[in-house]
Amino acid sequence: MRHAGGPLLVLAGAGSGKTRVLTARIAHLIHERGVPPERVFAVTFTNKAAGEMRSRIAGLLGADPRGLWIGTFHALAARLLRREAARLGFGSNFTIYDSDDSESFIKRLLDQRGLSPKANPPRAIHAIISGAKNRMLLPEELGARAESPLERVAAEVYAVLGAALKQANAMDFDDLLLYPLTLFREHPERLAYWQRRFEHVLVDEFQDTNAAQYRLVKLLAAEHGNLFVVGDDDQAIYGWRGADVRHMLSFQDDCSGAAGAAGTTLIKLEQNYRSTQVILDAANGVIAENARRLGKTLFTAKQGGDPVILLTAADERDEAEWLASEYARVAAETEAPYEGLAILYRTNAQSRPLEEAFRFRGIPYRLVGAVSFYERREVRDVLAYLRLIANPADDEALARVVNVPRRGIGDASLAQLVRAAGQWRKPLLETARAADRLPDLRPNVREAFQGLAGLIDQLRARYGRADPATVLEQVIAATGYGQYLAEEGPEGIERLENVQELIAGAAQWAETAAADAEGEGEPGPTLLERYLTHAALVTPADQGTGASSGVTLMTVHMAKGLEWPVVALAGLEDGLFPLARAAGEPGGLEEERRLCYVGLTRAREKLYLSWARTRYRNGRLEVSEPSRFLEALPPRVVEERSTTPTWDRAQRTAAGRARRAARAPVEVDWHAEISQDAPRYAAGERVRHRKFGGGVILAISGSGRDLKVTVEFDDQEIGAKQLLVAYAGLERDWEGA
């Protein structure tokens, strides 16, 4: 089919070739219809996917499509904002703050306002503000909706955050999506320019768009109506971070009146080129139970296939050992490389017993989802220097490297500099240049501040427009950072190797950066600024960690878009998959079912499903029931295995009936059930756990014996946990309040 123009929705099932549809469409526009590459705006959700699409388009055209705007929402928005920054009160060299930068920045704002970061964890505050931005709520709207002390503090911080970031010439991830909308609202002539600039707007993974992303592409396509979107509502799994599947479900009605379009065209791609029909039958059976979907049924020419193996294990160790043994057998009997095998799970915590079982058997594995390369301390250190060179107003970057390597500047001295910068309304680097005006500082500290400022000024003057690899090499040489790491011993040598890898990666990036040439002769950002944008927007989905080969271990969320010949989906128990909290949230259970569907459709040839009768969760042993999703599997495609006395389908069905009956609405006098002596908590209240330490209650659900609290613990490695109050042993943290 050749679509002439106007809104088009391609409903592309898992493994149906949606990437091919997008790339073929772009190549057709450029080659057959003569659309210049720079007039195409193509957006996807990972840098890896964008790179693959560009490569495929180049293959179809026989040449690189120079000038083509193709990348993630954040990358393309940043590219646009570099050109329009002055109209919004920013310099084109603005810094992009990642989550760590944003949390550190928020902590400073809390300190300035006399608010305790312990009682108001910056991570929790940042999450609340980010959620508000994704829903395009203004600070006053967040304040009006606030139901807890923590949300009220978040609204207070949100109200001053924008101006504070602008003073630092910085934007956070969410700002990258919101500021183009601000630009278009305040400068309609610029909206008209960008609408003329992009004749065609194409969106990959459309089901994952949030409110700001959808509004952005709708605005760009509003004049010509050439909005081409591809996605799968059955793979909408990011509602927790603001994505709204309703954009896809209502697209036909929403775009029916688009300019230049008689109506919206819908095309369904239902033939799967990845999996066997047995695997697809299992996936179709599970997803059919969702009510809110456009509806499709996957089929394939690969009829038949091995049955889906459903394992019942005694506990998580038993489950892990069985899977490791089975994978060793499969690899030996089929001579398949371990790289073709994967185990997926709902939460990162599930990897531990799997790792232990694989290590015991000597099976190589690759864990994805650990600390990513760009989150490593040494990488963040040297990139902070580059950020200061590109943007001298970046206070977070200066705070990170002010004593790295050691310069004799302590926290108290930095606090004095911060106070002075606040009084003078100057960035920290500019204040450091004038450190001789701060009489309370020791002479050696004043000299250290001025020496650092002079070093940054010198590097900026000499290398501000150089390629990023050269700048990195000069920073390391000028600061002595290499020697600083070497003095840390073997671990430091390993960190130094990571820095060298960063330099190599920067050089490689520069070789291909010319592909993003604008082709219009307009002054654009420097190579260094473009590289920093690239580094700031790399996501875990764009990189792997751990061994370079072996069985892949990762969460189902991380696995979206990937595939393997053999896949196991582990931990299919109610309360774990689906998560307990999801069942009580609007649309939560349907999203968990979509996530299960994503996991099932990662397998090409063989699929294993497993659950454990008991599992340690939240520090205690819990008796489990099989996931309700298993009830929807067609009996003809399943072969059951067990490491315990048989738990057959009849037992599982009976358990499912009992669970559904338990979910049926009943009249209960909750007030009569709750003891007057039972603990009562409020969101925002500080509590203490005997194992996890202090934390703040983010949310409360249930009542009586089922009362649960979600606590954001002060220890960042623990993070947020949902606890059953009856067993958690929580105490009010009066000292931390």
Side-chain angles (χ1 to χ4, degrees), residues 276-279 302-308 604-606 637:
T276 66
Q277 190 62 52
V278 167
I279 293 171
K302 298 166 65 175
Q303 292 301 309
D306 292 342
V308 176
R604 294 206 298 262
E605 299 165 12
K606 196 166 185 62
V637 306

Side-chain angles (χ1 to χ4, degrees), residues 668-671 673-674 700-708 724:
V668 177
D669 184 357
W670 291 112
H671 296 288
E673 181 185 342
I674 301 172
I700 302 170
S701 61
S703 58
R705 289 185 296 272
D706 295 324
L707 180 66
K708 297 173 184 174
L724 197 62

Side-chain angles (χ1 to χ4, degrees), residues 134-165:
N134 282 332
R135 301 193 306 275
M136 296 192 296
L137 294 179
L138 297 173
E140 52 269 28
E141 293 174 307
L142 178 61
R145 300 184 184 193
E147 296 180 351
S148 69
L150 191 67
E151 289 178 326
R152 285 190 282 274
V153 170
E156 183 180 343
V157 172
Y158 186 14
V160 299
L161 181 61
L165 283 170

Side-chain angles (χ1 to χ4, degrees), residues 170-190:
M171 299 184 191
D172 64 22
F173 278 7
D174 302 309
D175 290 336
L176 294 178
L177 301 178
L178 293 176
Y179 273 120
L181 301 179
T182 302
L183 172 76
F184 295 159
R185 184 176 64 251
E186 296 179 353
H187 299 276
E189 77 284 358
R190 299 310 298 164

Side-chain angles (χ1 to χ4, degrees), residues 158-364:
Y158 186 14
V160 299
L161 181 61
L165 283 170
K166 187 170 288 188
Q167 183 176 330
N169 195 27
M171 299 184 191
D172 64 22
F173 278 7
D174 302 309
D175 290 336
L176 294 178
L177 301 178
L178 293 176
Y179 273 120
L181 301 179
T182 302
L183 172 76
F184 295 159
R185 184 176 64 251
E186 296 179 353
H187 299 276
E189 77 284 358
R190 299 310 298 164
L191 171 59
Y193 167 80
W194 290 106
Q195 287 174 333
R196 291 192 303 271
R197 167 67 184 269
F198 298 123
E199 297 176 18
H200 291 269
V201 178
L202 302 95
V203 185
D204 188 17
E205 303 287 6
F206 182 60
Q207 75 280 351
D208 294 332
T209 54
N210 64 27
Q213 291 162 340
Y214 185 36
R215 181 171 294 185
L216 175 61
V217 294
K218 278 189 66 180
L219 281 171
L220 289 175
E223 286 300 308
H224 47 66
N226 294 325
L227 181 56
F228 182 105
V229 303
V230 184
D232 183 2
D233 57 323
D234 289 335
Q235 296 188 71
I237 60 174
Y238 295 113
W240 50 274
R241 70 182 189 194
D244 192 341
V245 69
R246 290 176 298 180
H247 297 149
M248 188 164 195
L249 298 177
S250 62
F251 181 80
Q252 290 173 272
D253 293 332
D254 202 22
C255 293
S256 59
T264 303
T265 304
L266 170 66
I267 298 174
K268 293 186 179 183
L269 302 181
E270 297 177 284
Q271 182 169 1
N272 176 284
Y273 299 96
R274 174 190 301 157
S275 306
T276 66
Q277 190 62 52
V278 167
I279 293 171
L280 296 182
D281 287 345
N284 287 333
V286 170
I287 199 62
E289 300 218 332
N290 268 4
R292 295 195 313 162
R293 56 192 297 256
L294 293 172
K296 64 184 179 307
T297 302
L298 295 181
F299 68 92
T300 179
K302 298 166 65 175
Q303 292 301 309
D306 292 342
V308 176
I309 303 299
L310 174 57
L311 171 71
T312 300
D315 56 28
E316 69 266 30
R317 288 181 179 275
D318 190 33
E319 176 188 49
E321 289 166 4
W322 190 93
L323 288 171
S325 173
E326 180 70 3
Y327 271 26
R329 183 192 65 78
V330 169
E333 292 183 2
T334 64
E335 297 185 356
Y338 281 118
E339 291 74 28
L341 286 68
I343 298 181
L344 311 179
Y345 34 80
R346 181 62 182 84
T347 66
N348 277 309
Q350 292 171 252
S351 72
R352 181 187 55 78
L354 293 165
E355 290 184 75
E356 291 175 355
F358 277 64
R359 281 198 298 266
F360 179 77
R361 289 185 171 270
I363 298 174

Side-chain angles (χ1 to χ4, degrees), residues 355-376:
E355 290 184 75
E356 291 175 355
F358 277 64
R359 281 198 298 266
F360 179 77
R361 289 185 171 270
I363 298 174
Y365 67 88
R366 177 175 179 264
L367 179 66
V368 179
V371 177
S372 70
F373 182 78
Y374 285 90
E375 291 174 345
R376 297 180 187 277

